[in-house]
Amino acid sequence: MARERARILREQEAKRARRNKALMIGGIVLAVALVAFAILQIVGKGGKANTGDYEGTVRPATLANVTDDYGIDVNAAGVAGQVVEDAGVFAVYSDYTCSGCINLERNYADTYHNHADAGELSVRLYPVATLNNSVSDNAAAAMFYVATYAPEQAWAYNDALFARTAEAVKGGGSAPTLAEFADIAKSVGVPDDVANDLPASVASDDWKAVAVAATDSFREKGYTATPTLEVNGVVDDSWLAEGDVDSVIQSAIEAGAK
């Protein structure tokens, strides 16, 4: 009986040690995440009005090439408002400052493009601003602006935006300014006149309202976290258990197969 009691005590102590270690690691991870987010909040809000040398005018926030629920379809050529014919629709709801969204883009952007090129997959982008920082707000508004006024560069702009916000969120770099969002637009071929008007437009209340409306639409669907994935308009969260995004992509491919 004494040996059995000793064994039980040893097991309880081992469990307590494992639990304390898990709590400590979880606390450290959370603390690091909160510090990174706080820095992004401070830097992002400090630079949100920096339009640099751009002195363009505000363009009307009348969306084009955007679905009624704020999705941006892109075809194999990356053109907004176009789909890959006869292909299943793989939709991604993303906040440009969301670490999980950045990881998804980093690991699967090439996969999306390759399947679209093969005529197997149509991609729909849903820019949202769920993390309550100016970088999210501005990036989402900028993406809708480019989809409306420079649709041929929409998908390329999305990828370039993610590359820049990854520097801020993952690499500890500075938050992008409105002038940088315009620089990025020019770098992917957005016409100069459209890029010149981007900072003033994104800074305006009308375009800020677009980002808010897109985010409200996301939440009205009952979605709470990004990234969220859909196949043909139906949420698919099967990947959350083991991170198997490939199976969701394959489901979209099969959904559109003849």
Side-chain angles (χ1 to χ4, degrees):
M1 290 177 65
R3 283 196 299 271
E4 180 63 15
R5 284 196 296 270
R7 183 187 65 80
I8 292 172
L9 288 172
R10 286 195 301 273
E11 289 182 353
Q12 290 176 340
E13 182 59 31
K15 289 179 180 178
R16 186 179 301 108
R18 287 195 297 271
R19 183 170 62 252
N20 290 342
K21 182 179 180 181
L23 289 172
M24 180 183 69
I25 293 172
I28 292 172
V29 170
L30 178 60
V32 171
L34 289 174
V35 169
F37 180 69
I39 292 172
L40 182 62
Q41 288 273 72
I42 295 169
V43 176
K45 289 185 177 179
K48 67 180 178 180
N50 186 351
T51 59
D53 295 329
Y54 291 95
E55 298 179 354
T57 59
V58 177
R59 295 198 178 198
T62 305
L63 297 181
N65 311 309
V66 178
T67 65
D68 290 342
D69 63 343
Y70 298 92
I72 302 172
D73 286 308
V74 285
N75 65 3
V79 181
Q82 304 292 323
V83 298
V84 176
E85 296 295 337
D86 300 319
V89 178
F90 176 79
V92 186
Y93 293 79
S94 300
D95 183 309
Y96 288 101
T97 63
C98 154
S99 294
C101 303
I102 291 170
N103 288 338
L104 187 72
E105 169 75 11
R106 180 177 291 171
N107 294 325
Y108 289 96
D110 289 344
T111 302
Y112 307 155
H113 284 283
N114 291 338
H115 284 302
D117 288 340
E120 299 171 334
L121 191 71
S122 195
V123 176
R124 180 175 294 173
L125 309 171
Y126 281 96
V128 295
T130 59
L131 294 183
N132 191 33
N133 66 76
S134 63
V135 177
S136 294
D137 300 340
N138 292 339
M143 184 60 201
F144 285 114
Y145 174 87
V146 169
T148 297
Y149 289 107
E152 293 184 355
Q153 288 78 38
W155 204 356
Y157 189 61
N158 174 78
D159 293 348
L161 278 181
F162 266 118
R164 178 61 183 88
T165 56
E167 292 178 8
V169 176
K170 295 283 192 179
S174 62
T177 64
L178 293 179
E180 285 185 81
F181 285 136
D183 292 340
I184 293 168
K186 286 186 175 183
S187 74
V188 298
V190 169
D192 285 349
D193 62 322
V194 177
N196 288 336
D197 290 343
L198 186 151
S201 296
V202 171
S204 71
D205 289 340
D206 287 347
W207 283 97
K208 289 178 181 178
V210 170
V212 171
T215 306
D216 287 345
S217 175
F218 168 80
R219 288 173 173 147
E220 287 166 4
K221 294 177 181 179
Y223 301 157
T224 57
T226 54
T228 291
L229 308 181
E230 287 180 343
V231 172
N232 283 358
V234 178
V235 66
D236 187 333
D237 58 7
S238 61
W239 64 281
L240 292 174
E242 298 180 1
D244 188 8
V245 176
D246 288 304
S247 65
V248 182
I249 295 172
Q250 187 59 39
S251 294
I253 292 172
E254 293 173 358
K258 293 187 179 64

